[in-house]
Short mmCIF file of all heavy atoms in Angstrom, two decimals:
data_model
loop_
_atom_site.label_atom_id
_atom_site.label_comp_id
_atom_site.label_asym_id
_atom_site.label_seq_id
_atom_site.Cartn_x
_atom_site.Cartn_y
_atom_site.Cartn_z
N PRO A 367 119.47 -56.51 246.34
CA PRO A 367 119.77 -56.45 244.92
C PRO A 367 121.19 -56.90 244.60
O PRO A 367 121.48 -57.28 243.47
CB PRO A 367 119.61 -54.97 244.57
CG PRO A 367 118.63 -54.47 245.56
CD PRO A 367 118.94 -55.23 246.83
N TYR A 375 123.81 -50.77 247.56
CA TYR A 375 122.42 -50.99 247.95
C TYR A 375 122.30 -51.53 249.38
O TYR A 375 121.21 -51.86 249.84
CB TYR A 375 121.70 -51.95 247.01
CG TYR A 375 121.50 -51.41 245.61
CD1 TYR A 375 122.07 -52.07 244.51
CD2 TYR A 375 120.74 -50.25 245.40
CE1 TYR A 375 121.88 -51.55 243.22
CE2 TYR A 375 120.61 -49.74 244.12
CZ TYR A 375 121.15 -50.42 243.06
OH TYR A 375 120.97 -49.93 241.80
N TYR A 380 114.23 -54.35 248.45
CA TYR A 380 113.52 -53.38 247.59
C TYR A 380 112.23 -54.07 247.08
O TYR A 380 111.99 -55.25 247.26
CB TYR A 380 114.39 -53.02 246.40
CG TYR A 380 115.55 -52.13 246.70
CD1 TYR A 380 116.62 -52.59 247.49
CD2 TYR A 380 115.63 -50.83 246.23
CE1 TYR A 380 117.70 -51.77 247.76
CE2 TYR A 380 116.70 -50.01 246.48
CZ TYR A 380 117.75 -50.47 247.27
OH TYR A 380 118.79 -49.64 247.56
N TRP A 381 111.47 -53.30 246.27
CA TRP A 381 110.28 -53.89 245.67
C TRP A 381 110.68 -54.98 244.67
O TRP A 381 109.86 -55.81 244.24
CB TRP A 381 109.43 -52.83 244.97
CG TRP A 381 110.06 -52.27 243.68
CD1 TRP A 381 111.26 -51.68 243.55
CD2 TRP A 381 109.43 -52.27 242.38
NE1 TRP A 381 111.46 -51.30 242.21
CE2 TRP A 381 110.36 -51.66 241.49
CE3 TRP A 381 108.23 -52.73 241.85
CZ2 TRP A 381 110.10 -51.48 240.12
CZ3 TRP A 381 107.97 -52.55 240.49
CH2 TRP A 381 108.89 -51.95 239.64
N ASP A 382 111.95 -55.05 244.35
CA ASP A 382 112.49 -56.08 243.46
C ASP A 382 112.04 -57.47 243.89
O ASP A 382 111.79 -58.35 243.06
CB ASP A 382 114.03 -56.08 243.47
CG ASP A 382 114.66 -54.75 243.14
OD1 ASP A 382 114.01 -53.71 243.39
OD2 ASP A 382 115.81 -54.73 242.69
N MET A 430 110.99 -48.03 250.70
CA MET A 430 111.65 -48.27 249.42
C MET A 430 112.80 -49.26 249.63
O MET A 430 113.07 -50.10 248.80
CB MET A 430 112.16 -46.98 248.85
CG MET A 430 112.70 -47.02 247.45
SD MET A 430 111.37 -47.39 246.28
CE MET A 430 112.34 -47.97 244.85
N GLU A 448 108.23 -42.60 245.47
CA GLU A 448 108.17 -43.82 244.67
C GLU A 448 107.30 -44.86 245.40
O GLU A 448 107.73 -45.99 245.70
CB GLU A 448 109.57 -44.39 244.37
CG GLU A 448 109.52 -45.17 243.05
CD GLU A 448 110.87 -45.69 242.59
OE1 GLU A 448 111.91 -45.07 242.80
OE2 GLU A 448 110.82 -46.80 241.97
N HIS A 450 104.76 -46.56 244.40
CA HIS A 450 104.19 -47.72 243.68
C HIS A 450 104.65 -49.01 244.31
O HIS A 450 104.06 -50.04 244.11
CB HIS A 450 104.57 -47.66 242.18
CG HIS A 450 106.02 -47.90 241.94
ND1 HIS A 450 106.59 -49.15 241.95
CD2 HIS A 450 107.05 -47.03 241.73
CE1 HIS A 450 107.91 -49.04 241.73
NE2 HIS A 450 108.21 -47.78 241.60
N PRO A 508 107.97 -46.28 238.35
CA PRO A 508 109.13 -47.12 238.28
C PRO A 508 110.25 -46.45 237.45
O PRO A 508 111.45 -46.68 237.73
CB PRO A 508 108.60 -48.37 237.54
CG PRO A 508 107.15 -48.40 237.86
CD PRO A 508 106.72 -46.93 237.96
N GLU A 510 112.61 -44.07 237.12
CA GLU A 510 113.19 -43.05 238.02
C GLU A 510 113.83 -41.90 237.30
O GLU A 510 114.44 -41.02 237.92
CB GLU A 510 114.19 -43.75 238.93
CG GLU A 510 113.54 -44.69 239.94
CD GLU A 510 114.53 -45.46 240.82
OE1 GLU A 510 115.74 -45.43 240.52
OE2 GLU A 510 114.08 -46.04 241.82
N LYS A 622 113.83 -44.99 232.00
CA LYS A 622 114.90 -45.83 232.58
C LYS A 622 114.54 -47.32 232.52
O LYS A 622 115.36 -48.15 232.24
CB LYS A 622 115.12 -45.42 234.03
CG LYS A 622 116.20 -46.20 234.76
CD LYS A 622 116.31 -45.77 236.22
CE LYS A 622 117.37 -46.57 236.96
NZ LYS A 622 117.37 -46.33 238.41
N GLN A 623 113.30 -47.60 232.83
CA GLN A 623 112.90 -49.06 232.99
C GLN A 623 111.42 -49.18 232.78
O GLN A 623 110.67 -48.18 232.77
CB GLN A 623 113.29 -49.54 234.33
CG GLN A 623 112.50 -48.95 235.50
CD GLN A 623 113.21 -49.12 236.85
OE1 GLN A 623 114.01 -48.30 237.22
NE2 GLN A 623 112.88 -50.20 237.52
N GLU A 656 118.17 -48.68 231.66
CA GLU A 656 119.33 -48.45 232.54
C GLU A 656 119.12 -48.96 233.94
O GLU A 656 119.93 -48.74 234.83
CB GLU A 656 119.75 -46.97 232.48
CG GLU A 656 120.39 -46.69 231.11
CD GLU A 656 120.98 -45.29 230.95
OE1 GLU A 656 121.08 -44.57 231.94
OE2 GLU A 656 121.28 -44.94 229.79
N SER A 657 118.00 -49.68 234.13
CA SER A 657 117.90 -50.49 235.33
C SER A 657 117.97 -51.94 234.79
O SER A 657 117.35 -52.28 233.78
CB SER A 657 116.57 -50.31 236.02
OG SER A 657 116.31 -51.44 236.86
N SER A 658 118.71 -52.75 235.52
CA SER A 658 118.84 -54.14 235.10
C SER A 658 117.50 -54.88 235.13
O SER A 658 117.31 -55.94 234.58
CB SER A 658 119.85 -54.88 235.97
OG SER A 658 119.37 -54.87 237.30
N LEU A 659 116.48 -54.24 235.81
CA LEU A 659 115.20 -54.90 235.94
C LEU A 659 114.34 -54.73 234.72
O LEU A 659 113.28 -55.32 234.61
CB LEU A 659 114.42 -54.28 237.15
CG LEU A 659 115.11 -54.39 238.51
CD1 LEU A 659 114.31 -53.60 239.56
CD2 LEU A 659 115.19 -55.87 238.95
N THR A 703 118.72 -59.38 241.88
CA THR A 703 117.27 -59.40 241.72
C THR A 703 116.90 -59.41 240.20
O THR A 703 115.86 -59.99 239.84
CB THR A 703 116.59 -58.17 242.41
OG1 THR A 703 117.31 -56.99 242.09
CG2 THR A 703 116.61 -58.37 243.91
C1 BGC B 1040 115.74 -49.30 240.08
C2 BGC B 1040 114.74 -49.70 241.08
C3 BGC B 1040 115.25 -50.84 241.88
C4 BGC B 1040 116.64 -50.57 242.45
C5 BGC B 1040 117.26 -51.80 243.12
C6 BGC B 1040 117.09 -48.99 240.75
O1 BGC B 1040 118.04 -48.69 239.80
O2 BGC B 1040 115.33 -48.15 239.36
O3 BGC B 1040 113.52 -50.02 240.46
O4 BGC B 1040 114.39 -51.16 242.91
O5 BGC B 1040 117.51 -50.18 241.42
O6 BGC B 1040 117.41 -52.81 242.20
#
Side-chain angles (χ1 to χ4, degrees):
Y375 293 120
Y380 287 67
W381 72 303
D382 305 26
M430 187 67 198
E448 206 176 328
H450 69 80
E510 291 177 346
K622 181 183 178 189
Q623 67 199 88
E656 288 184 12
S657 160
S658 62
L659 300 173
T703 47

